[in-house]
Amino acid sequence: MSLRELGDREALGRGGGHRRSLRRSKQQQRRGKGGVAAVAMDILKSLGHPDEIYKLLKFKMGGCSTIMPRLDYDSMSDSLKVCYKYLNETSRSFAAVIQALDGELRHAVCIFYLVLRALDTVEDDMTISLEAKIPLLHDFHTYLYEPEWRYTESKEKDRQVLEDFPTISLEFRNLDKEFQVVIADICHKMGVGMAEFLEKKVESLQEWDKYCHYVAGLVGIGLSRLFSASELEDLIVGQDTELSNSMGLFLQKTNIIRDYLEDELDGREFWPREVWSRYAKKLSDLAKPENLDSAVHCMNDLITNALHHVPDVLTYLSRLKNQSVFNFCAIPQVMAIATLAACYNNQQVFRGVVKIRKGQAVTMMMDATNIQAVKALMYQYVEEIHQKIPTTDPSCSKTRRIIISIRTQSLPNGTLVSRNHYSPIYLSCAMLLAALSWQYLTKVSQASDEFVQATEN
């Protein structure tokens, strides 16, 4: 529920990359061999997790269609087709799950995403002066009703959503009035919030929550209102803004924590001073090798803060009735808890990129289809964090307390989640399966390449 997407570093085989067009080209066909090598590498990374290998193969062989069905583009207007093209080009995490939503809600969420992506592009563009940017952000919601408005001076990579904003605003005005009201309202509030933080650093934890509310909590609130307006979900889903806000904050805080080094290299600071000042004189000092212990303690403190949103997440998800809405909401949340588990007490966050395995991500996508499965996944990953809590960590007591609270909500009857234990023989079979899969898929790819080459000649 945040535009700063959790999946930016995880390619999940969703039929589109971060900046990939819907068009199928000969160049994409020729990349078949590279794609096979990537699949094989994903399998190798999951060798110690046989269940992930099974899910990876199942996903690649068509299992993805059960949670991400293909759209019927033939029934769409030309302008709506263009909007979905932009969605796939600008979103890696959300494109597929948005397209899996039911009915008119799908189009409403697609346009909602593109409107906020356009707004976010204005905020991110450092070539736009503050004198020009602040009025743009404040007034952006009004451009939804101006058929010819477009912005052609952006240098950002997603500038096409601004340059062709008339196509997006046209489809916005084609939506039901109830959807329009929600989208315009959230766009207005987010623009005002973004303008507030343009020159303002995040000082306190309260301000951290406020910043995350503007850029992600409002997305959660807007989506929830759209769910209720579509009548696919009860009114309470859209009315309980506290829970909707927590859904967005959990994702945004996870992204901010994970992306410390990337943001630091870009000269951007999102960690709250109230926390990092207890561990360093400057936020940038945490990236220095001699400060790694303090850096990890600081990160653990922030992860503990983020975990306080998990009870709200579970309560929110337990209210959902529609399967496509549940999948849309649940998948990013379980990805987030897995990402926090990977980051917790991990020095690699300050050295490079920390990401979950593709097999792990695919397994969660295919499993997180009901509230009990989500609770089991939440339990699994908070247990993983619990096992890594150092007794010397300054926030260890706080971390244990919130984990106890999450455990209680995940398993109110106290029943432990059963875990599969695989024998060395099973692991050997998994390795053999991976090797055979690599060989088989490579041969299929070679045959495909030869066919493509023959047809070209």
Side-chain angles (χ1 to χ4, degrees), residues 141-152:
H141 66 290
T142 66
Y143 305 143
L144 291 166
Y145 298 98
E146 296 183 20
E148 301 304 319
W149 186 90
R150 68 180 73 229
Y151 188 80
T152 58

Side-chain angles (χ1 to χ4, degrees), residues 123-360:
E123 184 211 19
D124 284 346
D125 195 332
M126 304 306 292
T127 67
I128 304 175
S129 67
L130 288 179
E131 291 75 15
K133 184 179 291 188
I134 290 174
L136 274 173
L137 294 175
H138 281 167
D139 298 336
F140 202 87
H141 66 290
T142 66
Y143 305 143
L144 291 166
Y145 298 98
E146 296 183 20
E148 301 304 319
W149 186 90
R150 68 180 73 229
Y151 188 80
T152 58
E153 299 174 33
S154 176
K155 301 296 186 292
E156 283 291 295
K157 55 185 175 294
D158 293 334
R159 60 184 176 272
Q160 72 266 34
V161 294
L162 290 170
E163 294 171 347
D164 194 20
F165 198 74
T167 297
I168 297 170
S169 67
L170 171 63
E171 285 303 323
F172 164 81
R173 293 187 299 276
N174 287 339
L175 294 173
D176 288 346
K177 290 295 181 183
E178 283 187 279
F179 291 149
Q180 291 185 38
V181 169
V182 173
I183 294 171
D185 180 50
I186 296 299
C187 181
H188 183 202
K189 291 174 179 175
M190 186 177 288
V192 171
M194 286 177 168
E196 178 182 337
F197 278 90
L198 280 177
E199 290 188 298
K200 179 180 177 181
K201 290 188 176 180
V202 178
E203 297 289 335
S204 66
L205 281 169
Q206 186 176 4
E207 285 185 341
W208 198 37
D209 280 357
K210 188 177 184 181
Y211 170 75
C212 291
H213 164 73
Y214 282 138
V215 299
L218 282 172
V219 181
I221 291 169
L223 286 169
S224 299
R225 290 170 61 187
L226 292 177
F227 299 157
S228 294
S230 72
E231 299 185 352
L232 293 176
E233 297 296 345
D234 293 335
L235 286 176
I236 186 63
V237 172
Q239 292 170 346
D240 195 336
T241 56
E242 184 176 347
L243 293 188
S244 301
N245 188 58
S246 274
M247 291 282 285
L249 263 61
F250 185 55
L251 298 185
Q252 186 68 13
K253 288 181 178 182
T254 298
N255 293 333
I256 288 174
I257 292 166
R258 179 202 62 188
D259 292 344
Y260 164 82
L261 189 60
E262 178 184 325
D263 288 333
E264 189 60 39
L265 294 173
D266 288 342
R268 299 163 68 92
E269 295 186 355
F270 297 104
W271 285 21
R273 175 186 289 271
E274 180 182 332
V275 175
W276 65 253
S277 62
R278 298 199 290 263
Y279 302 94
K281 292 182 179 179
K282 295 186 298 182
L283 181 56
S284 58
D285 289 345
L286 295 178
K288 296 177 179 178
E290 62 269 24
N291 296 329
L292 270 180
D293 287 343
S294 295
V296 168
H297 289 160
C298 180
M299 176 180 62
N300 290 348
D301 203 340
L302 291 176
I303 290 175
T304 300
N305 175 280
L307 288 175
H308 281 80
H309 296 291
V310 173
D312 280 351
V313 167
L314 292 175
T315 301
Y316 180 96
L317 293 175
S318 68
R319 290 177 174 172
L320 300 179
K321 301 183 302 181
N322 179 271
Q323 187 64 59
S324 71
V325 171
F326 186 90
N327 293 350
F328 176 85
C329 295
I331 290 171
Q333 301 296 330
V334 294
M335 296 282 191
I337 192 68
T339 300
L340 289 183
C343 289
Y344 187 84
N345 211 47
N346 187 351
Q347 295 182 351
Q348 184 61 26
V349 173
F350 304 93
R351 294 170 173 162
V353 177
V354 172
K355 57 183 179 179
I356 58 179
R357 297 180 303 278
K358 191 177 296 185
Q360 190 179 0

Side-chain angles (χ1 to χ4, degrees), residues 431-452:
M431 293 177 70
L432 178 60
L433 174 62
L436 291 173
S437 299
W438 186 319
Q439 184 179 32
Y440 169 74
L441 292 172
T442 300
K443 287 182 178 179
V444 170
S445 174
Q446 289 172 344
S448 175
D449 287 348
E450 290 170 2
F451 176 78
V452 170

Side-chain angles (χ1 to χ4, degrees), residues 39-153:
V39 173
M41 185 57 65
D42 296 336
I43 291 173
L44 289 175
K45 288 178 180 177
S46 294
L47 278 183
H49 308 269
D51 55 326
E52 292 181 12
I53 295 176
Y54 169 72
K55 290 291 173 62
L56 265 172
L57 292 173
K58 184 177 179 181
F59 187 85
K60 293 293 183 181
M61 293 177 180
C64 58
S65 62
T66 60
I67 51 176
M68 296 180 300
R70 293 186 180 277
L71 279 185
D72 178 15
Y73 288 100
D74 294 337
S75 64
M76 296 183 189
S77 65
D78 289 342
S79 56
L80 189 57
K81 288 178 185 176
V82 171
C83 287
Y84 277 100
K85 171 179 175 288
Y86 291 153
L87 174 66
N88 281 273
E89 289 176 347
T90 59
S91 168
R92 184 173 197 159
S93 299
F94 290 142
V97 285
I98 287 175
Q99 292 170 168
L101 288 168
D102 290 340
E104 292 303 310
L105 177 62
R106 178 193 309 122
H107 301 325
V109 174
C110 172
I111 300 306
F112 183 44
Y113 178 89
L114 290 177
V115 168
L116 298 188
R117 173 57 70 190
L119 178 67
D120 192 55
T121 301
V122 171
E123 184 211 19
D124 284 346
D125 195 332
M126 304 306 292
T127 67
I128 304 175
S129 67
L130 288 179
E131 291 75 15
K133 184 179 291 188
I134 290 174
L136 274 173
L137 294 175
H138 281 167
D139 298 336
F140 202 87
H141 66 290
T142 66
Y143 305 143
L144 291 166
Y145 298 98
E146 296 183 20
E148 301 304 319
W149 186 90
R150 68 180 73 229
Y151 188 80
T152 58
E153 299 174 33

